[in-house]
Amino acid sequence: MTDTDDPLVTTEWLAAHLDDPKVRVIDATFKLPGVLPLPIDDYLAAHIPGAVFFDVDAVSDHGNPNPHMYPDAAQFARDIEALGISTGDTVVAYDAGGWVAAPRAWWMFLSFGHANVKVLDGGLKKWVREGRPMQPGRVTPKPGNFAARLDPGYVRSQRQVLENIETRAEQLVDARPRGRFEGTAPEPRPESRSGHIPGSRNVPYAGLFDAETGVMKPLDELRKSFTGAGVDLAKPIVTSCGSGVSALVLTLALYRLGVRGSALYDGSWAEWGLPDGPPVATGPA
């Protein structure tokens, strides 16, 4: 994999490019419901110099009752322009270092036609551990000029996933922890049923990076995580999770393995697991 193809950048690369006016850094830290302090409060306390806050809940379709669903292209463009980002910029997304939401921001930019986007390997955790500079407060940039057009091939709806249960044209891979996937551990959203989408496989996203350093694991280990779960990397893949965020950690790993054309089930378990939702399976895959 070349540096151009790799969706990751190192802390060394970002430190060397912090003063580049065409490199725009976004803090996309996200937490599960009820976890405090809020991501915005963490950001205001300290963030990478020049970084703006990418609010996963705000950059979403506010008319949809499901959490942080994809907005339309016009809203995405407005939200990104408000962050001071323009079409010609290189965007580098990071999160607190737990690999939850920076890949979500990365995939959204790709989905809306912005190919020049990267994820900081190791995130804020590695940056701080290396003693690199931080700053408090909110960064308020001048508005950018951003063009957005959604490629629908990047996302899947509940209807499409339901149809796929019959056709098995695409493999569905769930990023949630094993207990939640098998239905033995409770969901963080109390209204959700337990279990998984019938026919899906389980690759817990937390197993794809080093818990101590926050760095994504080597390619051979990533490959084993998927193949060991029965995923065929040569066949179409759709990723899912609790609410369409950590699924993109899987998508990012697949991208690093050379897999292209995968998609996200945006509604994920927050939609599928509702009391009146489609069929649910429990136990191992």
Side-chain angles (χ1 to χ4, degrees):
M1 176 178 291
T2 66
D3 290 342
T4 302
D5 294 333
D6 197 340
L8 300 182
V9 293
T10 64
T11 50
E12 290 80 8
W13 185 94
L14 181 57
H17 290 81
L18 270 185
D19 295 329
D20 186 336
K22 301 300 289 183
V23 173
R24 313 299 296 184
V25 184
I26 61 174
D27 182 326
T29 299
F30 171 83
K31 297 179 182 180
L32 289 171
V35 178
L36 298 174
L38 296 173
I40 183 61
D41 294 328
D42 287 338
Y43 165 82
L44 293 172
H47 54 81
I48 293 176
V52 293
F53 185 64
F54 181 98
D55 189 335
V56 172
D57 285 322
V59 187
S60 67
D61 179 0
H62 301 290
N64 193 311
N66 296 311
H68 39 257
M69 297 288 284
Y70 261 55
D72 61 24
Q75 184 194 331
F76 187 77
R78 289 194 303 270
D79 290 344
I80 299 309
E81 287 177 339
L83 297 179
I85 298 171
S86 296
T87 297
D89 291 337
T90 295
V91 178
V92 178
Y94 76 86
D95 54 39
W99 284 102
V100 178
R104 165 78 181 197
W106 164 77
W107 194 246
M108 290 186 78
F109 273 93
L110 290 181
S111 301
F112 285 101
H114 190 85
N116 204 3
V117 57
K118 302 285 186 177
V119 173
L120 181 64
D121 194 13
L124 193 63
K125 183 175 186 176
K126 187 171 187 288
W127 184 271
V128 170
R129 187 171 183 160
E130 294 169 346
R132 300 189 185 276
M134 298 283 284
Q135 72 175 149
R138 187 186 298 274
V139 173
T140 307
K142 295 180 180 179
N145 185 4
F146 190 87
R149 182 177 181 179
L150 177 62
D151 182 341
Y154 280 76
V155 291
R156 295 290 182 271
S157 66
Q158 185 185 87
R159 177 186 58 78
Q160 289 172 307
V161 175
L162 187 59
E163 291 173 352
N164 189 68
I165 292 178
E166 299 299 325
T167 66
R168 299 295 177 98
E170 297 177 316
Q171 303 167 98
L172 192 70
V173 188
D174 192 320
R176 291 176 300 154
R178 195 164 308 282
R180 289 170 60 191
F181 176 85
E182 294 182 355
T184 59
E187 287 293 312
R189 293 177 175 83
E191 69 275 13
S192 294
R193 295 173 290 166
S194 295
H196 58 266
I197 299 171
S200 56
R201 300 287 182 173
N202 185 214
V203 178
Y205 79 92
L208 301 182
F209 59 89
D210 186 285
E212 182 177 353
T213 65
V215 174
M216 186 162 271
K217 290 183 176 179
L219 296 183
D220 59 341
E221 293 186 39
L222 297 179
R223 187 174 290 105
K224 288 177 183 177
S225 294
F226 287 99
T227 57
V231 180
D232 186 341
L233 299 180
K235 295 181 179 179
I237 295 171
V238 174
T239 60
S240 72
C241 59
S243 63
V245 178
S246 61
L248 279 317
V249 183
L250 272 58
T251 305
L252 182 72
L254 290 166
Y255 201 93
R256 298 200 74 225
L257 291 169
V259 175
R260 299 294 184 269
S262 64
L264 165 71
Y265 171 29
D266 192 25
S268 284
W269 199 251
E271 178 180 54
W272 194 280
L274 289 171
D276 58 349
V280 167
T282 56

